[in-house]
Amino acid sequence: MAAQYGQGYGQDQVQGYGQNHAQNHAQGHAQGYGLGYDDGPGRGERRRLPAGLRAPFEARSWREFAYVLLSLPIGVALFVYAVTMVSLGAGLLVTFLGVPVLAAGLAGCRGIAALERTRARALLGLEVADPEPLRMRKSGVMAWMGAVLKSGTSWRTLLYALLQFPWSVFSFVVALNFWAYGWALLTYPLWFWLFPVYGGQGGLQLYGDSSHSVYLDNPFEITVTALVGLVFTLATPWIVRALTTVDRLMVHGLLGPSRLSARVVELESDRGVVVDTAAADLRRIERDLHDGAQARLVALAMDLGLAKEKLAEDPRAAARMVDEAHGEVKTALQELRDLARGIHPAVLTDRGLDAALSAVASRCTVPVQVEVDLDERPAPAIEGIAYFTVSELLQNISKHARATWAAVDVWRVENRLMVQVMDNGVGGADASGGSGLAGLAGRLDAVDGILVVDSPAGGPTRVTAELPWRGERALG
């Protein structure tokens, strides 16, 4: 029964906070030094070591170090290209040649940005979506040049080419020095014998002038040198990680899609979800009308026709048929009322969420406590989504939860409308499978809402929906 309950609640996946929390948790396990970045035969052994001792030998550390080393020559090439093309294009703007040169320079920066995203994906594990493509209303070279010059992505890639060079110089120097000095000092006891044998000196020289010199040549000094190298070696991966964090921010912020374009893509996706949901609702209404009330009305019309024919011949039979038709009319009216309630209940429009949710709770198979704490009514669209969310969750409780009580709480937190449905049933609601949450997640996501399901095996179950608040009018 717990599995059935989970299927009743389940859907394709949890949206919003629940999904982001799971992804961030998984990424932390995949990327954190302390959680084992690599898979392989020795993974269990490496996890027994502290993160600080394991970091210098992890593949992630070497990939990040390789990224920093490659950034310097790439940064030099990017900087030279960007400065040359922009300077040449700006200098030629007094003639017509400046425009195509500048457009070609920006187009080259866009191509280089694609390579940089690939490098960040391969060495840093950073997934950055491609920015929005050029939008050209017409075809031709002039339209292409205008689209390149007007695109904010082009100028952001140019800014990346200019900023990446000084940062790559700084990160290269810091990372290489820490890495080189750390390993050199750590392994000093191993190659100490090279100085007196091949250099004719007493070890690593710290200071020397015409009168005297200081060498690291006794066991204590050699041990201290190795310990200092150990500190440098253990700290270097974390320093390189901090340096590459800045690279991650630059690549994500300057080479990825802008917030506006990402928002446009999200709204287009939400619009598709809304259209699909509306189409599904329309098909459901048409199916319910065709299979329910319409079929009954057709049968009623036929029965009344037969009763009319028998009225003169057999009044009793005609009266009996009219009586049966009267019952069919009542049934059809009830089906139409249920269908209208499923589209948008009149009590929700007239009296708001409190009364509408109380009416839904009265039809649940378990006692439901409803508490709505709102100073004003939300917008009709938000109010309707909140109503249908609670209605479907209570229906799932009636069918699958095996609960003895349930509770519905609705309140406002700043600019968010919070809806929470709880029950003491068998639990096991799994939002990653089944179909019960498909419509809910689609409705919530279409208006920037989120859905979080907390349902351990054995219960209790807590489903929280968060919707953006858009007020309409004060409650009177």
Side-chain angles (χ1 to χ4, degrees):
M1 179 59 71
Q4 295 175 356
Y5 182 41
Q7 292 175 358
Y9 266 116
Q11 192 191 330
D12 51 350
Q13 62 180 3
V14 178
Q15 303 291 327
Y17 172 80
Q19 183 185 36
N20 294 335
H21 178 72
Q23 291 177 346
N24 294 337
H25 186 68
Q27 290 174 359
H29 278 75
Q31 297 180 2
Y33 280 126
L35 299 174
Y37 185 80
D38 299 316
D39 293 327
R43 184 177 183 183
E45 287 75 5
R46 286 198 302 273
R47 279 190 171 182
R48 295 192 184 99
L49 294 175
L53 297 179
R54 192 171 63 248
F57 307 100
E58 290 184 331
R60 178 187 181 182
S61 301
W62 292 97
R63 285 195 294 266
E64 290 176 341
F65 184 60
Y67 184 91
V68 173
L69 294 183
L70 289 174
S71 293
L72 180 60
I74 293 176
V76 172
L78 287 179
F79 186 81
V80 172
Y81 172 82
V83 171
T84 301
M85 295 300 293
V86 172
S87 301
L88 183 61
L92 293 175
L93 281 179
V94 294
T95 66
F96 179 75
L97 295 178
V99 175
V101 170
L102 187 58
L106 292 176
C109 289
R110 292 176 67 101
I112 295 172
L115 297 178
E116 283 293 275
R117 288 192 297 270
T118 302
R119 184 168 71 100
R121 185 181 303 112
L123 297 179
L124 300 182
L126 178 64
E127 294 291 339
V128 179
D130 294 336
E132 62 275 12
L134 294 176
R135 298 182 180 272
M136 296 186 297
R137 297 182 178 179
K138 300 180 181 179
S139 60
V141 177
M142 296 298 296
W144 176 82
M145 288 190 298
V148 171
L149 294 175
K150 293 178 182 178
S151 174
T153 302
S154 303
W155 295 101
R156 284 190 286 114
T157 55
L158 174 62
L159 180 61
Y160 174 84
L162 298 177
L163 295 179
Q164 202 266 348
F165 169 64
W167 173 251
S168 65
V169 173
F170 173 79
S171 59
F172 180 90
V173 171
V174 172
L176 185 61
N177 277 278
F178 269 92
W179 204 280
Y181 278 105
W183 284 103
L185 296 178
L186 177 63
T187 58
Y188 181 63
L190 302 178
W191 53 269
F192 166 71
W193 60 274
L194 289 174
F195 283 93
V197 173
Y198 295 98
Q201 299 178 357
L204 185 64
Q205 184 179 11
L206 287 182
Y207 174 79
D209 55 22
S210 58
S211 59
H212 68 282
S213 59
V214 178
Y215 293 92
L216 300 176
D217 53 3
N218 62 65
F220 174 75
E221 293 173 346
I222 294 174
T223 302
V224 172
T225 302
L227 291 177
V228 172
L230 178 62
V231 173
F232 273 56
T233 302
L234 296 179
T236 298
W238 303 96
I239 294 174
V240 173
R241 183 182 184 185
L243 295 173
T244 55
T245 299
V246 178
D247 289 289
R248 287 185 174 93
L249 294 175
M250 291 175 59
V251 172
H252 188 274
L254 297 178
L255 303 185
S258 63
R259 292 184 178 181
L260 179 60
S261 63
R263 181 60 175 167
V264 169
V265 172
E266 181 182 358
L267 290 177
E268 289 177 349
S269 176
D270 291 344
R271 181 182 62 183
V273 172
V274 172
V275 172
D276 293 341
T277 303
D281 290 341
L282 180 60
R283 289 193 298 270
R284 177 182 60 82
I285 294 171
E286 291 176 346
R287 182 179 64 252
D288 292 343
L289 285 174
H290 182 271
D291 298 340
Q294 181 178 349
R296 290 188 180 277
L297 291 176
V298 171
L300 175 63
M302 296 177 61
D303 291 342
L304 289 177
L306 293 175
K308 181 179 179 182
E309 294 178 357
K310 289 182 173 292
L311 184 62
E313 301 175 0
D314 191 353
R316 290 187 176 181
R320 185 173 61 256
M321 295 177 67
V322 170
D323 185 63
E324 293 176 355
H326 183 259
E328 289 293 322
V329 169
K330 291 182 177 180
T331 303
L333 289 175
Q334 182 61 40
E335 289 181 354
L336 289 174
R337 280 194 294 267
D338 294 339
L339 182 61
R341 186 184 299 113
I343 298 173
H344 195 84
V347 65
L348 178 63
T349 303
D350 298 336
R351 301 174 57 189
L353 274 176
D354 196 355
L357 295 182
S358 298
V360 172
S362 65
R363 296 193 295 270
C364 188
T365 57
V366 301
V368 181
Q369 178 182 355
V370 178
E371 183 175 350
V372 178
D373 184 12
L374 297 176
D375 295 331
E376 58 179 336
R377 293 181 62 173
I382 302 299
E383 194 174 53
I385 293 174
Y387 170 82
F388 285 111
T389 299
V390 174
S391 178
E392 185 162 344
L393 291 175
L394 291 180
Q395 186 177 8
N396 288 335
I397 291 175
S398 299
K399 292 180 179 180
H400 308 290
R402 294 172 57 186
T404 58
W405 65 267
V408 176
D409 291 328
V410 181
W411 72 98
R412 177 183 177 183
V413 178
E414 296 180 353
N415 61 340
R416 307 293 287 183
L417 176 65
M418 308 297 297
V419 178
Q420 190 174 86
V421 179
M422 299 174 290
D423 68 79
N424 64 341
V426 295
D430 184 7
S432 62
S435 59
L437 292 175
L440 298 184
R443 289 176 182 268
L444 295 173
D445 186 63
V447 293
D448 293 336
I450 61 176
L451 188 71
V452 180
V453 179
D454 180 17
S455 181
T461 295
R462 184 191 308 266
V463 181
T464 304
E466 182 178 335
L467 293 163
W469 176 269
R470 290 196 293 270
E472 182 188 36
R473 59 184 182 273
L475 289 173

